[in-house]
Amino acid sequence: MTTGTTTVDVRPIGAGASEISIAGDVTSASEEPLMEAYGRASADGATVIVLDFSRLDYMNSGGIGLLVTLLVRVQRQGQKLMAVGLSEHYRQILALTRLDEAIGIHATEAEALSAAGV
């Protein structure tokens, strides 16, 4: 799905895991496609949601707020949220906001799945 400059794709990546691939910009305008993608990723009972940021161009404070909203939804469902493909810049931002304490940050999809026990 594409909205403005945000594109999200969902795919299963293993037993009990789904990946949401995010391309373009993540801002407050990205709420609908991101939350819809989360719904599709969770539809088959996934316990691990991996966000792939390898094609991310830009994320502002509204996008960080969406990550917090998504994290709350994931935690309420008893799921784990992982992130891969983050540039050093966005790794630092997640560290500054302490989101890295709640979202597992990994270099690759395989590392994220291994850390999640999938």
Side-chain angles (χ1 to χ4, degrees):
M1 167 181 276
T2 302
T3 299
T5 58
T6 304
T7 302
V8 290
D9 295 307
V10 178
R11 70 182 181 95
I13 54 173
S18 290
E19 179 184 81
I20 301 172
S21 177
I22 301 167
D25 299 343
V26 177
T27 66
S28 59
S30 307
E31 182 173 11
E32 184 179 333
L34 185 59
M35 295 308 157
E36 181 181 305
Y38 169 66
R40 287 186 286 142
S42 298
D44 292 332
T47 58
V48 177
I49 305 296
V50 177
L51 301 176
D52 179 0
F53 289 103
S54 60
R55 298 184 303 145
L56 177 70
D57 292 329
Y58 171 77
M59 180 166 36
N60 65 10
S61 60
I64 296 293
L66 284 178
L67 287 183
V68 172
T69 300
L70 182 59
L71 178 61
V72 169
R73 290 181 184 189
V74 164
Q75 289 176 335
R76 285 184 182 156
Q77 296 300 316
Q79 298 166 311
K80 294 179 184 177
L81 187 61
M82 304 292 199
V84 299
L86 284 165
S87 69
E88 185 59 32
H89 172 74
Y90 290 112
R91 281 179 178 252
Q92 289 176 355
I93 289 174
L94 292 185
L96 286 170
T97 59
R98 298 178 66 180
L99 281 172
D100 64 338
E101 295 175 13
I103 300 172
I105 310 294
H106 300 279
T108 67
E109 178 185 294
E111 288 176 17
L113 293 175
S114 177
V118 175

